[in-house]
Amino acid sequence: APNISRDVIKQLLPKAPPLQELIDQYDVQRDDSSDGSLEDDDYHATTETIITMPTESDFLVQMEGKPKCCFFKFSSKIQYNKVVKAQLWIYLRQVQKPTTVFVQILRLIKPMKDGTRYTGIRSLKLDMNPGTGIWQSIDVKTVLQNWLKQPESNLGIEIKAFDENGRDLAVTFPGPGEDGLNPFLEVRVTDTPKRSRRDF
């Protein structure tokens, strides 16, 4: 494995809470296992956190106008029945005064006869205070499981986060000074033990 310093990792990854936890956890594990060996635990299921960044999608490129978010491609190692948790993390730009923000997460679908191209996943209302922007996580476990069962239904998602004046606060395509603020998925999968401990 490449020997990458913690500072370099911080620069490469999004500036988000779950990734900070992973970096801290990595440091602890590295300190604990200085002899380079890790014990196998046959009894317990292990969980693994997978961070998925958005990629380009042919479907999104074909759409009129620039879509407000992204397409996530999933590794074949993620199976729908092994997903324990799936959170979509989005970054909301700072506000100048106390503001109510209306967040909508929509799933793209093949255009229907009436022209409908979206179906709602989640809607929520947030109260934001002046200061720095915030990371907001949204549970998308059911959506992800459906995508994994039917990969052809995964066409991407759209994120909207409007304040009372109709200003969009969600960072979907990072602008100047917004590096590391892309939306991303944090997926936790479980792997049940393949071996059982033999009786003496």
Side-chain angles (χ1 to χ4, degrees):
N3 184 15
I4 301 177
S5 75
R6 179 181 174 146
D7 293 335
V8 173
I9 291 173
K10 277 187 168 176
Q11 285 169 14
L12 294 172
L13 293 175
K15 306 173 180 79
L19 287 150
Q20 186 56 57
E21 283 171 27
L22 283 178
I23 294 168
D24 293 342
Q25 198 178 337
Y26 166 74
D27 269 12
V28 170
Q29 283 175 347
R30 195 171 52 176
D31 294 344
D32 288 350
S33 59
S34 51
D35 62 350
S37 64
L38 289 172
E39 231 177 275
D40 275 346
D41 188 343
D42 290 339
Y43 281 138
H44 299 97
T46 55
T47 59
E48 184 181 357
T49 300
I50 299 167
I51 301 297
T52 307
M53 305 303 295
T55 59
E56 289 293 321
S57 151
D58 293 340
F59 181 74
L60 290 180
V61 172
Q62 290 162 11
M63 286 177 64
E64 292 171 28
K66 202 174 184 183
K68 300 298 280 185
C69 192
C70 32
F71 172 75
F72 293 97
K73 193 173 181 178
F74 301 103
S75 156
S76 56
K77 75 188 287 183
I78 307 179
Q79 296 167 27
Y80 75 90
N81 56 347
K82 300 277 181 75
V83 174
V84 179
K85 170 184 167 186
Q87 301 279 119
L88 171 69
W89 286 86
I90 57 171
Y91 188 81
L92 303 175
R93 296 181 181 96
Q94 68 182 54
V95 293
Q96 305 305 319
K97 57 181 180 122
T99 306
T100 300
V101 183
F102 301 91
V103 181
Q104 251 193 323
I105 310 297
L106 305 162
R107 183 165 65 87
L108 273 64
I109 57 174
K110 286 185 176 162
M112 296 167 75
K113 285 178 182 172
D114 63 358
T116 305
R117 299 189 306 185
Y118 307 100
T119 176
I121 294 176
R122 288 271 183 285
S123 295
L124 60 144
K125 198 163 74 166
L126 292 174
D127 291 322
M128 281 183 69
N129 291 316
T132 58
I134 60 166
W135 282 98
Q136 176 66 39
S137 69
I138 290 132
D139 179 14
V140 290
K141 180 181 169 184
T142 308
V143 181
L144 173 61
Q145 286 175 322
N146 289 336
W147 278 343
L148 294 171
K149 282 186 205 171
Q150 298 175 304
E152 69 281 358
S153 69
N154 177 15
L155 300 176
I157 58 172
E158 176 141 4
I159 293 171
K160 296 177 180 179
F162 294 109
D163 65 10
E164 294 135 340
N165 300 320
R167 179 172 159 250
D168 194 356
L169 299 177
V171 173
T172 49
F173 292 97
E178 292 181 337
D179 291 339
L181 302 182
N182 304 57
F184 68 92
L185 275 179
E186 175 196 8
V187 182
R188 192 161 292 176
V189 292
T190 183
D191 192 14
T192 47
K194 294 175 183 65
R195 296 174 297 167
S196 55
R197 206 180 282 261
R198 280 184 296 219
D199 292 334
F200 287 112

